[in-house]
Amino acid sequence: MMLRRALAALLAWAWLSPALAAAPAAKPPWAPTDIDLPVHQVGPHSYYVEGRLEEASRANEGFIANAGFVITGDGVVVFDTLGSPALGDRLIAEIRKLSRQPIRRVVISHYHADHFYGMPAFRRIGAQIWADTRAHLYLNSQEAAERLAQRKQLIGPWLGADFTLPLPDRWLDTPTGFKMGGVSFSLRHIGPAHSPEDMAMLVEPDGVLYSGDVVYAGRVPFIGDADTRTWLKAIDQLLAIPARVMVPGHGPASLHPRADAQLTRDYLVFLRQQMGAAVSNLVPFDEAYQQVDWSRFEAEPTFGVANRRNAYNVYLQMEQESLAH
């Protein structure tokens, strides 16, 4: 009789437990990872994991970006899913250490590999995924296909053999607010900046702003084909949002958002000034790059792997801007 009651109680607990109820039975089609995900609390409900200030590699398994999560009384909201389904599973495991609430919603800041490739892990547990509709520009690009091929070669086991670019459950095209468990959230399109679809999330009662890659901390930004002119405007738009803490897309959280956004702003301004002058004086890129004094930024992590590409992309932008006038 006692054994029967104990078994009944265990089954009832499993039925009521959101974690177990949502747990998929089948083994995921990607290799697991035990990589360390440092968790930081930045508000009564708000947390983030801090990616490494590196370029993606097999050694770091693509864990180079931040992701946030917010625990409410009626579920968990996640901001970004990291760079692979395996990392997404690790993020879920860290959330489970702090809460048994179901992970109900995922918000994607933008469609770059280190921020959205973890989506399949969250889809497997029933979370609803939201993203800005302007991400279609990336999904339909050659850049997306090339990045996917590069990541499969680099971190293929943690993606899974059949990994394809995941789509959200809901596309957003206007500012959106919602409540969960008594916590109010505000989603804002900030851009075009680092990407056309950059989205930020404000956790209103905590005063915590998840900025995505509109702001980088502790490393130079990745520019790619971003429009640096509109990016500078977007930083001002982002900083107009009242926040006590800002969690950037890369690097540590900031208690002084305006001051700590300065590195990103200064770097973009410097690139535009230097490459703009070179274009105006008809100096070829290689020669212009060699003439610039980069000492102000060269101690920043990822400078060595990112700066020349960034400078070249801005050089091309400045050429286009000069032709438009």
Side-chain angles (χ1 to χ4, degrees):
M1 181 65 71
M2 291 181 64
L3 179 61
R4 193 176 305 163
R5 288 177 181 172
L7 181 59
L10 180 62
L11 290 173
W13 179 85
W15 176 259
L16 292 172
S17 169
L20 291 181
K27 182 179 178 182
W30 49 80
T33 177
D34 60 358
I35 196 168
D36 184 40
L37 266 61
V39 176
H40 307 278
Q41 185 169 6
V42 288
H45 309 88
S46 305
Y47 303 79
Y48 79 104
V49 295
E50 186 175 339
R52 301 180 185 181
L53 295 175
E54 304 168 357
E55 288 292 284
S57 67
R58 183 168 289 269
N60 62 37
E61 301 177 19
F63 179 42
I64 61 169
N66 298 344
F69 59 95
V70 183
I71 299 173
T72 81
D74 191 37
V76 179
V77 176
V78 174
F79 188 81
D80 282 345
T81 63
L82 303 177
S84 73
L87 288 173
D89 277 342
R90 282 287 295 115
L91 179 56
I92 291 167
E94 291 300 324
I95 295 170
R96 286 285 166 254
K97 292 177 183 179
L98 296 168
S99 175
R100 306 300 290 181
Q101 291 287 350
I103 299 171
R104 297 192 183 279
R105 187 159 299 157
V106 173
V107 176
I108 301 299
S109 68
H110 65 294
Y111 258 61
H112 284 176
D114 48 339
H115 295 269
F116 84 99
Y117 275 20
M119 281 168 53
F122 289 87
R123 178 155 286 131
R124 290 183 84 243
I125 61 169
Q128 186 183 60
I129 301 168
W130 292 5
D132 188 276
T133 190
R134 282 154 278 241
H136 282 100
L137 296 171
Y138 177 81
L139 286 167
N140 297 324
S141 69
Q142 182 64 27
E143 178 191 354
E146 291 173 354
R147 177 63 70 195
L148 177 58
Q150 184 259 358
R151 284 295 201 268
K152 282 186 173 182
Q153 184 176 24
L154 195 66
I155 57 168
W158 299 288
L159 294 177
D162 299 325
F163 181 84
T164 57
L165 297 181
L167 299 176
D169 301 298
R170 179 180 175 186
W171 291 108
L172 304 177
D173 57 6
T174 58
T176 302
F178 65 92
K179 284 189 175 182
M180 185 180 296
V183 178
S184 296
F185 296 81
S186 177
L187 304 180
R188 317 278 184 92
H189 173 242
I190 308 292
H194 174 71
S195 74
E197 69 274 11
D198 287 305
M199 186 156 53
M201 181 174 80
L202 177 66
V203 186
E204 294 183 4
D206 292 10
V208 173
L209 177 64
Y210 295 95
S211 76
D213 281 3
V214 177
V215 170
Y216 282 63
R219 59 159 287 180
V220 296
F222 167 74
I223 289 178
D225 60 355
D227 186 330
T228 52
R229 179 173 52 183
T230 57
W231 191 341
L232 287 166
K233 295 177 182 178
I235 292 174
D236 291 332
Q237 184 183 354
L238 182 80
L239 293 175
I241 300 172
R244 180 184 61 84
V245 179
M246 179 179 64
V247 179
H250 299 261
S254 169
L255 294 174
H256 308 284
R258 184 163 297 277
D260 290 335
Q262 200 64 39
L263 171 64
T264 302
R265 181 195 299 280
D266 287 351
Y267 181 70
L268 297 178
V269 168
F270 185 78
L271 283 178
R272 289 181 58 83
Q273 289 174 342
Q274 298 300 318
M275 296 301 104
V279 168
S280 296
N281 295 322
L282 302 179
V283 179
F285 171 73
D286 287 339
E287 182 179 341
Y289 189 83
Q290 293 299 323
Q291 291 175 357
V292 174
D293 178 5
W294 298 106
S295 58
R296 183 178 176 187
F297 303 103
E298 62 187 3
E300 298 293 337
T302 71
F303 175 90
V305 294
N307 189 65
R308 186 180 180 89
R309 286 178 294 171
N310 286 344
Y312 182 66
N313 289 339
V314 173
Y315 184 92
L316 297 179
Q317 287 175 30
M318 303 312 292
E319 282 187 327
Q320 293 170 357
E321 290 182 24
S322 70
L323 293 174
H325 293 127

